[in-house]
Every structure is written in C-alpha cells, then in structure tokens.
Amino acid sequence: FEMSFNMASFDKFPGGKRDEDLILPINSSLSVTLHQDQLKTTTTVACSRNFQQDRIWLNGKEEDINNPRLQSCLQEIRRFSRKRRNTGDSTSDASSVSHKVHICSVNNFPTAAGLASSASGYACLVYTLSQLFGVESEQLSAVARQGSGSACRSLYGGFVQWKLGTQLDGKDSLAEQVESESYWPELRVLILVVSAEQKSVGSTSGMHTSVETSQLLKYRADVVVPSRMEEMIRVIRERDFPAFGELTMKDSNQFHAICLDTYPPIFYLNNMSHRIISLVHRYNQYYGETRVAYTFDAGPNAVIYTLQDHLPEFVQVVRHFFPPEVNGEEFVKGLTVCSADLSEELKRDINMEPTPKGIRYIISTKVIV
C-alpha cells in the first residue's frame, strides 16, 4: 500500500519543552501552513509481509529507524490501529498492522536549515501512516506532536495554534485551526534562502539548553506569550497587517534574544540575516508603516510576510540590494511575481550597499490548506 501527502508550515512563538518525552511545550504557539506547490514534504509508505524490518529514507538517504521520536509515532499509530480493529470499527486487513513498513520522505526545500522541515516531515509521516492503517484523524495531532512538537500544527491548513494544555499526560496539548487558509487571501510569503546547509545546533538540543539556562525564556513563556497569542489571533481575525507584522518581528527578535541568553549562546542568524532585518526596517521606515515583516526560526533563512499589493516592489528591492548570480538559474521560484520599478528616492533612502549573491534564491508562496 502506498500513499503520499504534502505539508509545510512556519512557526510563530517558538519555545522550549516542559516534557521532552511527551514533547509538551512551555508556551502556546501559532503557525501558518504554506502552499504545498512551493514547500512540501512528500512521504510514501509501503507495508508488506515480505519486509524484514521497518526502514526509512530521507531525501534518498537511509536514516536510523530507531530514532526514539520516529519509533513513538510508529508505535502510537499501530496501537490506535489495533484498538480500532479490536472494536470492529475497521474493515481493512487486520494482519497488516504487524507488517513492517518502508518509508520514503522527500523535501523540496532545504532540510534542517530552519524552515520547519521536521514539522512538515512528521506531519506527513503520521498522516500517511494513518491512511495506511485506518487511524482516525482526530487522534493524529497528539501522535504527530510526539515526533516533532510543531508537526501537530502542520496537520491543519491556514492559521493554527498549538495549545499549551495543563494535563500531565499531554492529552489537551493539541493543535486547532484559528482561521482557514482562505481567510486572508491577500497575505503573501517569501522565503529568502540564505543558506541550504544544515544548522550546527539542532532545534531540539538548542531548545533543551535554553530551557536549562535562559532566564529570559521563563519570563517569555509566563508573561509575554500568553498575551501576545491573544493579540496575534485578534489581528489575524481583523486582517490588520501592520499589527500582525510588528508582532511577528518582535517575537522573532525575542526568540533569538533567548538564543543569545542561552549558555553557551546559540547563533542561528548570520550576517546576511542581519542585513535582511535591516533592509525590512529601512523599507518600512521609508513608507512610514509596516508593509513587510520578517521572522526567523532556528536558522539564517528569512520568512517574509507582506500583502499582494506590496509584493512586486519588495521583491525588486531584494533583487537590487542582494543581486543574484547571473547564471541562468531562477532567482524567484514558486508563485509568479510581477515586475516593478524602484524609484531612485527609495533606493537612496534605504541606503545600503548591495551584497551580491547574499541570497541564493527566493521562494514565493502563500497560505494554503
């Protein structure tokens, strides 16, 4: 049996874990699910009585199937499947639960580079396994969370929150959709790929160290995030982009302040990341309003939010200040972006020296189911 599923999302209000085994967060969080034509994980699962053992390949390379988080997902899906079949709710072949599985997963965007590949990957894996073994969809959020916390949100489209929850067993620490993918159709997203290299400090180990050593993280989780989550949900529902953009940038900045407050400090951003941040603020300052917003997860690559009306000009701004290498390769990938002319006044007011080849390429996308 084979099935493929595509999913990618990007995080807001990231934080650490209060329980590493159950992957329970220390604060609630919110994510945006991005268009699967531009950023996706495609996962195919096959099971057979002839397979000798479970195996997994990621981007063509075989990986360790005994990864504890991967095993948790496999075991939970099989447990739910057996439970359903024992109650007579399933009409599929009961023997298939005991068959070994072969899993192939491929990302069409950089893996482990701060672009939510683990969230996308585990959401894909859990959904595909559920289709194979006949597991109900309402059980998947908790299973995906055990692979990668962010993955529980990636099972839904649009704007999604991962609730903190209060129960020790984590049964109420689940994801739910805030608004659908069609709620804010003018919202556009750009991924500015600075580096496709894997980050030197993984998200899981980095968060664990932050929980252990950062005093700022506790203040953020207890004081900042609860009110900021309420405000973010409100501005999304009001489609208030200036407020949405400001909250997004402030939260990204605070996340990376926690990385610096961690001991030893974690450096996910690089010089190009800092230049992108400066470019966004100078662009917004020129217009006297927030037209563009950045956010960075655990990596140097920027995710840019803007509205359709401002997209062509800002892409041209990026082209001007980060001129691409002229080698025939497409600089802007994904959804088509119309061309735009830049005024000399805008270029003069931004007042930055161009950085040739500072950005490898741009992925143009939007929110989707």
Side-chain angles (χ1 to χ4, degrees):
F1 183 93
E2 296 186 346
M3 178 166 291
S4 298
F5 184 67
N6 309 325
M7 182 71 69
S9 70
F10 199 76
D11 195 14
K12 292 193 193 326
F13 310 128
K17 307 293 190 300
R18 70 179 190 267
D19 188 309
E20 289 289 345
D21 293 328
L22 294 176
I23 311 187
L24 302 179
I26 64 172
N27 59 257
S28 298
S29 57
L30 188 143
S31 71
V32 178
T33 304
L34 303 180
H35 201 295
Q36 297 167 13
D37 286 350
Q38 285 79 55
L39 294 100
K40 66 181 177 182
T41 300
T42 301
T43 300
T44 303
V45 179
C47 74
S48 171
R49 63 172 60 87
N50 297 320
F51 292 160
Q52 299 300 308
Q53 59 184 359
D54 293 330
R55 299 174 71 183
I56 184 169
W57 291 262
L58 176 60
N59 295 325
K61 178 184 177 183
E62 186 163 10
E63 302 289 344
D64 183 9
I65 194 70
N66 294 313
N67 176 292
R69 293 190 173 190
L70 180 56
Q71 284 297 314
S72 292
C73 292
L74 283 168
Q75 290 167 13
E76 280 295 280
I77 287 291
R78 282 169 166 151
R79 183 177 70 83
F80 279 127
S81 181
R82 289 190 182 97
K83 183 178 179 180
R84 189 178 181 202
R85 282 161 178 166
N86 288 339
T87 59
D89 291 337
S90 176
T91 58
S92 57
D93 181 10
S95 65
S96 65
V97 180
S98 61
H99 293 165
K100 300 301 182 182
V101 296
H102 285 183
I103 304 162
C104 294
S105 187
V106 178
N107 296 323
N108 74 339
F109 60 97
T111 302
L115 291 176
S117 59
S118 62
S120 176
Y122 274 104
C124 252
L125 172 66
V126 168
Y127 181 86
T128 309
L129 287 170
S130 75
Q131 296 299 296
L132 176 62
F133 290 126
V135 175
E136 297 289 344
S137 59
E138 62 265 19
Q139 298 166 322
L140 301 187
S141 183
V143 179
R145 191 198 69 223
Q146 294 182 51
S148 171
S150 302
C152 70
R153 294 184 311 242
S154 295
L155 289 165
Y156 300 89
F159 303 88
V160 188
Q161 67 170 320
W162 175 13
K163 289 188 171 182
L164 171 65
T166 58
Q167 297 180 21
L168 294 178
D169 60 7
K171 289 184 178 179
D172 60 344
S173 183
L174 303 171
E176 67 176 20
Q177 189 180 65
V178 173
E179 292 294 346
S180 73
E181 70 286 351
S182 61
Y183 187 77
W184 201 348
E186 301 86 8
L187 191 65
R188 291 293 181 269
V189 183
L190 298 171
I191 314 294
L192 308 188
V193 179
V194 169
S195 172
E197 299 297 319
Q198 290 194 7
K199 54 205 175 192
S200 58
V201 179
S203 302
T204 300
S205 62
M207 287 181 181
H208 178 75
T209 307
S210 294
V211 169
E212 294 293 320
T213 64
S214 173
Q215 294 181 345
L216 179 57
L217 178 59
K218 178 173 174 51
Y219 175 79
R220 168 181 163 80
D222 293 345
V223 179
V224 178
V225 171
S227 60
R228 191 169 278 177
M229 277 286 293
E230 291 182 7
E231 190 175 1
M232 178 61 85
I233 291 172
R234 177 183 63 79
V235 300
I236 287 172
R237 287 176 171 160
E238 293 176 358
R239 301 184 187 91
D240 182 348
F241 185 84
F244 170 83
E246 184 174 327
L247 279 172
T248 296
M249 291 187 285
K250 285 182 175 179
D251 200 74
S252 176
N253 294 342
Q254 190 175 82
F255 167 66
H256 290 281
I258 288 170
C259 293
L260 293 178
D261 190 49
T262 300
Y263 191 82
I266 303 169
F267 304 98
Y268 286 126
L269 305 184
N270 61 21
N271 289 337
M272 288 303 107
S273 309
H274 295 145
R275 290 185 67 80
I276 292 168
I277 290 171
S278 180
L279 177 66
V280 168
H281 283 295
R282 294 182 189 206
Y283 180 80
N284 288 335
Q285 186 175 14
Y286 174 80
Y287 283 106
E289 65 177 357
T290 300
R291 292 191 170 192
V292 176
Y294 59 78
T295 183
F296 294 82
D297 199 359
N301 301 306
V303 175
I304 301 292
Y305 292 99
T306 190
L307 298 177
Q308 177 62 50
D309 288 348
H310 308 316
L311 182 68
E313 182 181 71
F314 187 73
V315 168
Q316 195 59 39
V317 166
V318 174
R319 277 185 178 274
H320 178 79
F321 289 101
F322 296 92
E325 186 174 10
V326 182
N327 60 0
E329 184 178 350
E330 191 177 16
F331 183 59
V332 180
K333 304 180 180 183
L335 297 177
T336 301
V337 179
C338 298
S339 61
D341 295 324
L342 301 183
S343 69
E344 291 302 318
E345 181 185 15
L346 173 59
K347 290 186 283 188
R348 184 175 61 252
D349 275 25
I350 289 178
N351 191 27
M352 285 178 59
E353 284 293 322
T355 307
K357 298 183 288 186
I359 293 175
R360 295 183 58 184
Y361 56 91
I362 300 172
I363 303 172
S364 172
T365 185
K366 62 181 179 180
V367 184
I368 195 66
V369 68

